[in-house]
Amino acid sequence: MDDVQLMQKALEQAKFAEKYGEIPIGAVIADADGNVLAEACNRTETDRSAVAHAELLAIAEACRKKESRRLTDCTLFVTLEPCSMCAGAIASARIGRVVFGAKDPRAGAYGSLIDLSALPLESKPEVTSGVLAEECLSPIRRFFINRRTKLH
């Protein structure tokens, strides 16, 4: 599978999140051969947990499947630029590559707000941004427009 196909799988996860009232963000982790090891969506409201981000849930599942805390030969595909918490977990898991769709100017840790990949960390992934960016941003915009409409 290529980057676009794997990002489409992450978008499917984002749709699950939206269906359950979560911010529609999805993540997929694939190995070097393109085999999907893990898929997850945001579950912060469902789990009542600040750390139930799609990336963290996918990392935990991929580590279990590989029976290792290191995912050096893996790529994380996520619909929104990871936040600093998720970027820290990505570095800790030694994920080799991160592909994200939409930039996040409010919390993005790979160039939008801050750039953790520019720091001298022990492990820094190769980062690719903008894959299906508009398709990834559209459900997030819709989610927040609907939320604001309900509040007024």
Coordinates of all heavy atoms in Angstrom, one line a residue, residues 19-119:
K19 N -18.4 9.5 14.4 CA -19.6 8.8 14.6 C -19.9 8.8 16.1 O -21.1 8.8 16.6 CB -19.5 7.4 14.0 CG -20.8 6.6 14.2 CD -20.6 5.2 13.6 CE -21.7 4.3 13.9 NZ -21.5 3.0 13.3
Y20 N -18.9 8.7 17.0 CA -19.0 8.5 18.4 C -18.8 9.9 19.1 O -18.6 9.9 20.4 CB -18.1 7.4 18.9 CG -18.5 6.1 18.4 CD1 -17.8 5.4 17.4 CD2 -19.6 5.5 18.9 CE1 -18.2 4.2 16.9 CE2 -20.1 4.2 18.4 CZ -19.3 3.6 17.4 OH -19.7 2.4 16.9
G21 N -18.9 11.0 18.4 CA -18.8 12.3 19.0 C -17.4 12.7 19.4 O -17.2 13.7 20.2
E22 N -16.4 12.1 18.9 CA -15.0 12.4 19.1 C -14.5 13.3 18.0 O -15.0 13.3 16.9 CB -14.1 11.1 19.1 CG -14.5 10.1 20.2 CD -14.0 10.4 21.6 OE1 -13.2 11.4 21.7 OE2 -14.3 9.7 22.5
I23 N -13.4 14.1 18.3 CA -12.8 14.8 17.3 C -12.3 13.8 16.2 O -11.6 12.8 16.6 CB -11.6 15.7 17.8 CG1 -12.1 16.7 18.9 CG2 -10.8 16.4 16.7 CD1 -11.0 17.4 19.6
P24 N -12.6 14.0 15.0 CA -12.4 13.0 14.0 C -10.9 12.9 13.5 O -10.5 13.5 12.5 CB -13.3 13.4 12.8 CG -13.5 14.9 13.0 CD -13.5 15.1 14.5
I25 N -10.2 12.2 14.3 CA -8.7 12.0 14.0 C -8.5 10.5 14.0 O -9.0 9.8 14.9 CB -7.8 12.7 15.0 CG1 -8.1 14.2 14.9 CG2 -6.3 12.4 14.7 CD1 -7.4 15.0 16.1
G26 N -7.8 10.0 13.0 CA -7.5 8.6 12.9 C -6.1 8.4 12.6 O -5.4 9.2 12.1
A27 N -5.6 7.2 13.0 CA -4.2 6.8 12.8 C -4.1 5.4 12.4 O -4.9 4.5 12.8 CB -3.4 7.1 14.1
V28 N -3.1 5.1 11.6 CA -2.7 3.7 11.2 C -1.2 3.6 11.3 O -0.5 4.5 11.0 CB -3.2 3.5 9.7 CG1 -2.6 2.3 9.1 CG2 -4.7 3.5 9.6
I29 N -0.8 2.4 11.7 CA 0.7 2.1 11.7 C 0.9 0.9 10.8 O 0.2 -0.1 10.9 CB 1.2 1.9 13.1 CG1 1.1 3.1 14.0 CG2 2.7 1.4 13.0 CD1 1.6 3.0 15.4
A30 N 1.8 1.1 9.8 CA 2.1 0.0 8.9 C 3.6 -0.3 9.0 O 4.5 0.6 9.3 CB 1.8 0.5 7.5
D31 N 3.9 -1.6 8.7 CA 5.4 -1.9 8.7 C 6.0 -1.6 7.4 O 5.4 -1.0 6.5 CB 5.5 -3.4 9.1 CG 4.9 -4.4 8.0 OD1 4.6 -3.9 6.9 OD2 4.7 -5.6 8.3
A32 N 7.3 -1.9 7.2 CA 8.0 -1.6 6.0 C 7.4 -2.1 4.7 O 7.6 -1.6 3.7 CB 9.5 -2.0 6.2
D33 N 6.7 -3.2 4.9 CA 6.0 -3.8 3.7 C 4.7 -3.3 3.4 O 4.0 -3.8 2.5 CB 6.0 -5.4 3.9 CG 7.3 -6.0 4.0 OD1 8.2 -5.6 3.2 OD2 7.5 -6.9 4.8
G34 N 4.2 -2.3 4.2 CA 2.9 -1.7 4.0 C 1.8 -2.5 4.7 O 0.6 -2.2 4.5
N35 N 2.1 -3.5 5.5 CA 1.1 -4.3 6.3 C 0.6 -3.5 7.5 O 1.5 -3.0 8.2 CB 1.7 -5.6 6.8 CG 2.2 -6.5 5.6 OD1 1.4 -6.7 4.7 ND2 3.4 -6.9 5.7
V36 N -0.7 -3.3 7.6 CA -1.2 -2.6 8.7 C -1.1 -3.4 10.0 O -1.6 -4.5 10.1 CB -2.7 -2.2 8.5 CG1 -3.3 -1.5 9.7 CG2 -2.8 -1.3 7.2
L37 N -0.4 -2.8 11.0 CA -0.2 -3.4 12.3 C -1.3 -2.9 13.3 O -1.6 -3.6 14.3 CB 1.1 -3.0 12.9 CG 2.3 -3.5 12.1 CD1 3.6 -3.0 12.7 CD2 2.4 -5.1 12.1
A38 N -1.7 -1.6 13.1 CA -2.6 -1.0 14.1 C -3.4 0.1 13.5 O -3.0 0.8 12.6 CB -1.8 -0.5 15.3
E39 N -4.7 0.2 13.9 CA -5.6 1.3 13.5 C -6.3 1.8 14.7 O -6.7 1.0 15.6 CB -6.6 0.8 12.5 CG -6.1 0.2 11.2 CD -7.1 -0.4 10.3 OE1 -7.7 0.4 9.5 OE2 -7.4 -1.6 10.4
A40 N -6.4 3.1 14.8 CA -7.1 3.7 16.0 C -7.7 5.0 15.7 O -7.3 5.7 14.7 CB -6.1 3.8 17.2
C41 N -8.7 5.4 16.5 CA -9.2 6.8 16.4 C -9.2 7.4 17.8 O -9.0 6.7 18.8 CB -10.7 6.7 15.8 SG -11.9 5.9 16.9
N42 N -9.4 8.7 17.8 CA -9.5 9.4 19.0 C -10.6 8.8 19.9 O -11.7 8.5 19.4 CB -9.8 10.9 18.8 CG -8.6 11.8 18.8 OD1 -7.5 11.3 18.7 ND2 -8.8 13.1 18.9
R43 N -10.3 8.7 21.2 CA -11.3 8.2 22.2 C -11.2 8.9 23.5 O -11.5 8.4 24.5 CB -11.0 6.7 22.4 CG -11.3 5.8 21.2 CD -11.5 4.3 21.6 NE -10.8 3.9 22.7 CZ -9.9 2.9 22.7 NH1 -9.7 2.2 21.6 NH2 -9.2 2.5 23.8
T44 N -10.8 10.2 23.4 CA -10.6 10.9 24.7 C -11.9 11.1 25.4 O -11.9 11.0 26.7 CB -10.0 12.3 24.4 OG1 -10.8 13.0 23.5 CG2 -8.6 12.2 23.9
E45 N -13.0 11.3 24.7 CA -14.3 11.5 25.4 C -14.9 10.1 25.8 O -15.3 10.0 27.0 CB -15.3 12.2 24.5 CG -14.9 13.6 24.1 CD -14.8 14.6 25.3 OE1 -15.5 14.4 26.3 OE2 -13.9 15.4 25.3
T46 N -14.8 9.2 24.9 CA -15.3 7.8 25.2 C -14.6 7.2 26.4 O -15.3 6.6 27.3 CB -15.1 6.9 24.0 OG1 -15.8 7.5 22.9 CG2 -15.7 5.5 24.2
D47 N -13.3 7.3 26.4 CA -12.5 6.7 27.5 C -12.3 7.6 28.7 O -11.8 7.2 29.7 CB -11.1 6.3 27.0 CG -11.1 5.2 26.0 OD1 -12.2 4.7 25.7 OD2 -10.0 4.8 25.5
R48 N -12.8 8.9 28.5 CA -12.6 9.9 29.6 C -11.1 10.0 30.0 O -10.7 9.9 31.2 CB -13.5 9.7 30.8 CG -14.9 9.9 30.5 CD -15.8 9.6 31.7 NE -17.2 10.0 31.5 CZ -18.1 9.5 30.7 NH1 -17.8 8.5 29.9 NH2 -19.3 10.0 30.6
S49 N -10.3 10.1 28.9 CA -8.8 10.1 29.1 C -8.2 11.1 28.2 O -8.3 11.1 27.0 CB -8.3 8.7 28.8 OG -6.9 8.7 28.8
A50 N -7.4 12.0 28.8 CA -6.6 13.0 28.0 C -5.6 12.3 27.1 O -5.1 13.0 26.2 CB -5.9 13.9 29.0
V51 N -5.2 11.1 27.4 CA -4.1 10.5 26.6 C -4.7 9.5 25.6 O -3.9 8.8 24.9 CB -3.1 9.8 27.5 CG1 -2.4 10.8 28.3 CG2 -3.7 8.6 28.3
A52 N -6.0 9.4 25.3 CA -6.6 8.5 24.4 C -6.6 9.1 23.0 O -7.6 9.0 22.3 CB -7.9 8.0 24.8
H53 N -5.4 9.6 22.6 CA -5.3 10.1 21.2 C -5.1 9.0 20.2 O -4.5 7.9 20.6 CB -4.1 11.1 21.1 CG -4.3 12.4 21.8 ND1 -3.5 13.5 21.4 CD2 -5.1 12.8 22.8 CE1 -3.9 14.5 22.2 NE2 -4.8 14.1 23.0
A54 N -5.5 9.1 19.0 CA -5.4 8.1 18.0 C -4.0 7.5 17.9 O -3.8 6.3 17.8 CB -5.9 8.6 16.7
E55 N -3.0 8.5 17.9 CA -1.6 8.0 17.7 C -1.2 7.1 18.8 O -0.5 6.1 18.6 CB -0.7 9.2 17.6 CG -1.0 10.2 16.5 CD -1.8 11.4 16.9 OE1 -2.8 11.2 17.7 OE2 -1.6 12.5 16.4
L56 N -1.5 7.5 20.1 CA -1.0 6.8 21.2 C -1.7 5.4 21.3 O -1.0 4.4 21.6 CB -1.3 7.5 22.5 CG -0.6 8.9 22.7 CD1 -1.0 9.5 24.0 CD2 0.9 8.7 22.5
L57 N -3.0 5.3 20.9 CA -3.7 4.0 20.9 C -3.1 3.1 19.8 O -2.9 1.9 20.0 CB -5.2 4.3 20.7 CG -5.9 5.1 21.8 CD1 -7.3 5.4 21.4 CD2 -5.8 4.3 23.1
A58 N -2.8 3.7 18.7 CA -2.2 2.9 17.6 C -0.8 2.4 18.0 O -0.4 1.3 17.7 CB -2.2 3.7 16.3
I59 N 0.0 3.3 18.6 CA 1.4 2.9 19.0 C 1.3 1.7 20.0 O 2.0 0.8 19.9 CB 2.1 4.1 19.6 CG1 2.5 5.1 18.5 CG2 3.4 3.6 20.4 CD1 3.0 6.5 19.0
A60 N 0.4 1.8 21.0 CA 0.3 0.8 21.9 C -0.1 -0.6 21.3 O 0.5 -1.6 21.6 CB -0.8 1.1 23.0
E61 N -1.0 -0.5 20.3 CA -1.5 -1.7 19.6 C -0.3 -2.3 18.8 O -0.1 -3.5 18.8 CB -2.7 -1.5 18.8 CG -3.2 -2.7 18.1 CD -4.4 -2.5 17.2 OE1 -5.2 -1.5 17.4 OE2 -4.6 -3.3 16.3
A62 N 0.4 -1.4 18.1 CA 1.5 -1.9 17.2 C 2.6 -2.5 18.0 O 3.2 -3.6 17.6 CB 2.0 -0.8 16.3
C63 N 2.9 -1.9 19.2 CA 3.9 -2.5 20.1 C 3.5 -3.9 20.5 O 4.4 -4.8 20.6 CB 4.2 -1.6 21.2 SG 5.1 -0.1 20.8
R64 N 2.3 -4.0 20.9 CA 1.8 -5.3 21.3 C 1.9 -6.4 20.2 O 2.4 -7.5 20.4 CB 0.3 -5.3 21.8 CG 0.1 -4.7 23.2 CD -1.3 -4.9 23.7 NE -2.3 -4.2 22.9 CZ -2.6 -2.9 23.1 NH1 -2.1 -2.2 24.1 NH2 -3.6 -2.4 22.4
K65 N 1.5 -6.0 19.0 CA 1.6 -6.9 17.9 C 3.0 -7.3 17.5 O 3.3 -8.4 17.2 CB 0.9 -6.3 16.7 CG -0.6 -6.5 16.7 CD -1.3 -6.2 15.4 CE -2.8 -6.4 15.6 NZ -3.5 -5.8 14.5
K66 N 3.9 -6.3 17.6 CA 5.3 -6.6 17.3 C 6.1 -7.2 18.5 O 7.2 -7.6 18.3 CB 6.0 -5.3 16.8 CG 5.7 -4.9 15.4 CD 6.5 -3.8 14.9 CE 8.0 -4.3 14.8 NZ 8.5 -4.4 13.5
E67 N 5.4 -7.2 19.6 CA 6.0 -7.6 20.9 C 7.4 -6.9 21.1 O 8.4 -7.5 21.5 CB 6.2 -9.2 20.9 CG 4.9 -9.9 20.8 CD 5.1 -11.4 20.9 OE1 6.2 -11.9 20.7 OE2 4.0 -12.1 21.1
S68 N 7.3 -5.6 20.9 CA 8.5 -4.7 21.1 C 8.0 -3.3 21.3 O 7.0 -2.9 20.8 CB 9.3 -4.8 19.8 OG 10.4 -3.8 19.9
R69 N 8.8 -2.6 22.1 CA 8.5 -1.1 22.3 C 9.0 -0.3 21.2 O 8.8 0.9 21.1 CB 8.9 -0.7 23.7 CG 10.4 -0.6 23.8 CD 10.8 0.0 25.2 NE 12.2 0.3 25.2 CZ 12.8 1.4 24.8 NH1 12.1 2.4 24.3 NH2 14.1 1.6 25.0
R70 N 9.8 -0.9 20.3 CA 10.4 -0.2 19.2 C 9.8 -0.5 17.9 O 9.6 -1.6 17.5 CB 11.9 -0.5 19.1 CG 12.6 0.0 20.4 CD 14.1 0.2 20.2 NE 14.6 0.8 21.4 CZ 15.7 0.5 22.0 NH1 16.4 -0.4 21.5 NH2 16.0 1.2 23.1
L71 N 9.4 0.6 17.2 CA 8.8 0.5 15.9 C 9.6 1.1 14.8 O 9.1 1.9 13.9 CB 7.4 1.1 16.0 CG 6.4 0.6 17.0 CD1 5.2 1.4 17.2 CD2 6.1 -0.9 16.8
T72 N 10.9 0.9 14.8 CA 11.8 1.6 13.9 C 11.5 1.4 12.4 O 11.7 2.3 11.6 CB 13.3 1.2 14.1 OG1 13.4 -0.3 14.1 CG2 13.7 1.7 15.5
D73 N 11.0 0.3 12.0 CA 10.7 0.0 10.6 C 9.3 0.3 10.2 O 8.8 -0.1 9.2 CB 11.0 -1.5 10.3 CG 10.0 -2.4 11.0 OD1 9.5 -2.1 12.1 OD2 9.8 -3.6 10.5
C74 N 8.6 1.1 11.1 CA 7.2 1.4 10.9 C 6.9 2.9 10.5 O 7.8 3.7 10.7 CB 6.4 1.1 12.1 SG 6.4 -0.7 12.6
T75 N 5.8 3.1 9.9 CA 5.3 4.4 9.5 C 4.0 4.6 10.2 O 3.1 3.8 10.1 CB 5.2 4.6 8.0 OG1 6.4 4.4 7.4 CG2 4.7 6.0 7.6
L76 N 3.8 5.8 10.8 CA 2.6 6.2 11.4 C 1.9 7.2 10.4 O 2.5 8.1 10.0 CB 2.8 7.0 12.7 CG 1.6 7.7 13.3 CD1 0.5 6.8 13.8 CD2 2.1 8.6 14.4
F77 N 0.6 6.9 10.1 CA -0.2 7.7 9.2 C -1.3 8.3 10.1 O -2.0 7.5 10.8 CB -0.8 6.9 8.1 CG 0.2 6.4 7.1 CD1 0.8 5.2 7.4 CD2 0.5 7.0 6.0 CE1 1.8 4.7 6.5 CE2 1.4 6.6 5.1 CZ 2.1 5.4 5.4
V78 N -1.4 9.6 10.2 CA -2.4 10.2 11.0 C -3.0 11.4 10.3 O -2.3 12.1 9.6 CB -1.8 10.6 12.4 CG1 -0.6 11.6 12.3 CG2 -2.8 11.1 13.4
T79 N -4.3 11.6 10.5 CA -5.0 12.6 9.7 C -4.7 14.1 10.1 O -4.8 15.0 9.4 CB -6.5 12.4 9.8 OG1 -6.9 12.4 11.2 CG2 -6.9 11.1 9.2
L80 N -4.2 14.3 11.4 CA -3.8 15.6 11.9 C -2.4 15.6 12.4 O -2.0 14.6 13.1 CB -4.8 16.1 12.9 CG -4.7 17.5 13.4 CD1 -5.0 18.5 12.3 CD2 -5.6 17.7 14.6
E81 N -1.7 16.6 12.2 CA -0.3 16.7 12.7 C -0.3 16.4 14.2 O -1.1 16.9 15.0 CB 0.2 18.1 12.5 CG 1.6 18.4 13.0 CD 2.0 19.9 12.7 OE1 1.2 20.7 12.2 OE2 3.1 20.2 13.0
P82 N 0.6 15.5 14.6 CA 0.7 15.1 16.1 C 1.0 16.3 17.0 O 1.8 17.2 16.6 CB 1.8 14.0 16.1 CG 1.8 13.5 14.7 CD 1.5 14.6 13.8
C83 N 0.4 16.2 18.2 CA 0.7 17.2 19.2 C 2.0 16.8 19.9 O 2.6 15.7 19.6 CB -0.4 17.2 20.3 SG -0.5 15.7 21.2
S84 N 2.5 17.6 20.8 CA 3.8 17.3 21.5 C 3.8 16.0 22.3 O 4.8 15.3 22.3 CB 4.2 18.5 22.3 OG 3.3 18.8 23.3
M85 N 2.6 15.7 22.9 CA 2.5 14.4 23.7 C 2.7 13.2 22.7 O 3.5 12.3 23.0 CB 1.2 14.4 24.4 CG 0.9 13.0 25.1 SD -0.6 13.0 26.0 CE -1.8 13.1 24.6
C86 N 2.0 13.3 21.6 CA 2.1 12.2 20.6 C 3.5 12.1 20.0 O 4.0 11.1 19.8 CB 1.0 12.3 19.6 SG -0.6 12.0 20.3
A87 N 4.1 13.3 19.7 CA 5.4 13.3 19.1 C 6.4 12.7 20.1 O 7.4 12.1 19.6 CB 5.8 14.8 18.7
G88 N 6.2 13.0 21.4 CA 7.1 12.3 22.4 C 7.0 10.8 22.3 O 8.0 10.1 22.4
A89 N 5.8 10.3 22.2 CA 5.6 8.9 22.2 C 6.1 8.3 20.9 O 6.7 7.2 20.9 CB 4.1 8.6 22.3
I90 N 6.0 9.0 19.8 CA 6.6 8.6 18.5 C 8.1 8.5 18.6 O 8.7 7.5 18.2 CB 6.2 9.6 17.4 CG1 4.7 9.5 17.1 CG2 7.0 9.4 16.1 CD1 4.1 10.7 16.3
A91 N 8.7 9.4 19.3 CA 10.2 9.4 19.5 C 10.5 8.2 20.4 O 11.5 7.5 20.1 CB 10.7 10.7 20.1
S92 N 9.8 8.0 21.5 CA 10.0 6.9 22.4 C 9.9 5.6 21.7 O 10.7 4.6 22.0 CB 9.0 7.0 23.6 OG 9.3 6.0 24.5
A93 N 8.9 5.4 20.8 CA 8.7 4.2 20.1 C 9.7 4.0 18.9 O 9.7 3.0 18.3 CB 7.3 4.1 19.6
R94 N 10.4 5.1 18.7 CA 11.4 5.1 17.6 C 10.8 4.8 16.2 O 11.4 4.1 15.4 CB 12.5 4.0 17.9 CG 13.2 4.1 19.2 CD 14.5 4.7 19.2 NE 15.4 4.6 20.3 CZ 15.2 4.9 21.6 NH1 14.0 5.4 22.0 NH2 16.1 4.9 22.5
I95 N 9.6 5.4 16.0 CA 8.9 5.2 14.7 C 9.8 5.9 13.7 O 10.2 7.0 13.9 CB 7.5 5.8 14.8 CG1 6.7 4.9 15.7 CG2 6.9 5.9 13.4 CD1 5.3 5.4 16.0
G96 N 10.0 5.2 12.6 CA 10.9 5.7 11.6 C 10.4 6.8 10.7 O 11.1 7.6 10.2
R97 N 9.1 6.8 10.5 CA 8.5 7.8 9.6 C 7.1 8.2 10.1 O 6.3 7.3 10.6 CB 8.4 7.2 8.2 CG 7.9 8.1 7.2 CD 8.1 7.5 5.7 NE 7.6 8.4 4.8 CZ 6.6 8.1 3.9 NH1 6.1 6.9 3.9 NH2 6.2 9.0 3.1
V98 N 6.7 9.4 9.9 CA 5.4 9.9 10.3 C 4.9 10.6 9.0 O 5.5 11.5 8.4 CB 5.4 10.9 11.4 CG1 4.1 11.6 11.6 CG2 5.9 10.2 12.7
V99 N 3.6 10.3 8.6 CA 2.9 10.9 7.5 C 1.7 11.5 8.1 O 0.9 10.7 8.7 CB 2.6 9.9 6.4 CG1 1.8 10.5 5.3 CG2 3.9 9.2 5.9
F100 N 1.5 12.8 7.9 CA 0.2 13.4 8.4 C -0.5 14.1 7.3 O 0.1 14.6 6.4 CB 0.4 14.2 9.7 CG 1.2 15.4 9.6 CD1 0.5 16.6 9.2 CD2 2.5 15.5 9.9 CE1 1.2 17.8 9.1 CE2 3.2 16.7 9.9 CZ 2.6 17.8 9.5
G101 N -1.8 14.3 7.5 CA -2.6 15.0 6.5 C -2.6 16.5 6.7 O -1.9 17.2 6.0
A102 N -3.4 16.9 7.7 CA -3.6 18.4 7.9 C -2.6 18.9 9.0 O -2.3 18.2 9.9 CB -5.0 18.6 8.3
K103 N -2.2 20.1 8.8 CA -1.4 20.8 9.8 C -2.3 21.2 10.9 O -3.4 21.5 10.7 CB -0.6 22.0 9.2 CG 0.5 21.6 8.2 CD 1.2 22.8 7.7 CE 2.3 22.4 6.8 NZ 3.6 22.3 7.5
D104 N -1.7 21.4 12.1 CA -2.4 21.8 13.3 C -1.7 23.0 13.9 O -0.8 22.9 14.7 CB -2.5 20.7 14.3 CG -3.4 21.1 15.5 OD1 -3.8 22.2 15.6 OD2 -3.6 20.2 16.4
P105 N -2.2 24.2 13.5 CA -1.5 25.5 14.0 C -1.6 25.7 15.5 O -0.8 26.4 16.1 CB -2.2 26.6 13.2 CG -3.4 26.0 12.7 CD -3.3 24.5 12.6
R106 N -2.6 25.0 16.1 CA -2.8 25.2 17.6 C -2.0 24.3 18.4 O -1.7 24.6 19.6 CB -4.3 25.0 17.9 CG -5.1 26.1 17.3 CD -6.5 25.9 17.7 NE -7.3 27.0 17.2 CZ -8.5 27.3 17.5 NH1 -9.1 26.5 18.4 NH2 -9.2 28.3 17.0
A107 N -1.6 23.1 17.9 CA -0.9 22.1 18.7 C 0.1 21.3 18.0 O 0.7 20.4 18.6 CB -1.9 21.2 19.4
G108 N 0.3 21.5 16.7 CA 1.2 20.6 15.9 C 2.6 20.7 16.3 O 3.2 21.8 16.5
A109 N 3.2 19.5 16.5 CA 4.6 19.4 17.0 C 5.6 19.1 15.9 O 6.8 18.8 16.2 CB 4.6 18.4 18.1
Y110 N 5.2 19.1 14.6 CA 6.1 18.8 13.5 C 6.2 20.0 12.6 O 6.2 19.8 11.4 CB 5.8 17.5 12.8 CG 6.1 16.3 13.6 CD1 5.2 15.4 13.9 CD2 7.4 16.1 14.1 CE1 5.5 14.2 14.7 CE2 7.7 15.0 14.8 CZ 6.8 14.0 15.1 OH 7.1 12.9 15.9
G111 N 6.2 21.2 13.1 CA 6.4 22.4 12.3 C 5.4 23.5 12.4 O 5.7 24.6 12.1
S112 N 4.2 23.2 12.8 CA 3.1 24.2 12.8 C 3.2 25.1 14.1 O 3.3 26.3 13.9 CB 1.7 23.5 12.8 OG 1.5 23.0 11.5
L113 N 3.2 24.5 15.3 CA 3.3 25.3 16.5 C 4.8 25.2 17.0 O 5.4 26.3 17.2 CB 2.4 24.8 17.6 CG 2.5 25.5 18.9 CD1 2.0 27.0 18.8 CD2 1.6 24.8 19.9
I114 N 5.3 24.0 17.1 CA 6.7 23.8 17.4 C 7.2 22.7 16.5 O 6.4 22.1 15.7 CB 6.9 23.3 18.9 CG1 6.1 22.0 19.2 CG2 6.5 24.4 19.8 CD1 6.3 21.4 20.5
D115 N 8.5 22.4 16.5 CA 9.0 21.4 15.6 C 10.0 20.5 16.5 O 11.2 20.8 16.6 CB 9.8 22.0 14.4 CG 10.1 20.9 13.4 OD1 9.9 19.7 13.7 OD2 10.7 21.3 12.4
L116 N 9.4 19.4 17.0 CA 10.2 18.5 17.9 C 11.2 17.8 17.0 O 12.2 17.3 17.6 CB 9.3 17.6 18.6 CG 8.5 18.2 19.8 CD1 7.7 17.1 20.5 CD2 9.4 19.0 20.7
S117 N 11.0 17.6 15.7 CA 11.9 16.9 14.9 C 13.2 17.7 14.7 O 14.2 17.2 14.3 CB 11.3 16.6 13.6 OG 11.0 17.7 12.8
A118 N 13.2 19.0 15.1 CA 14.4 19.9 15.0 C 15.3 19.8 16.2 O 16.4 20.3 16.2 CB 14.0 21.3 14.7
L119 N 14.8 19.2 17.3 CA 15.5 19.1 18.5 C 16.5 17.9 18.4 O 16.2 16.9 17.7 CB 14.6 18.9 19.7 CG 13.7 20.1 19.9 CD1 12.7 19.8 21.1 CD2 14.5 21.4 20.2

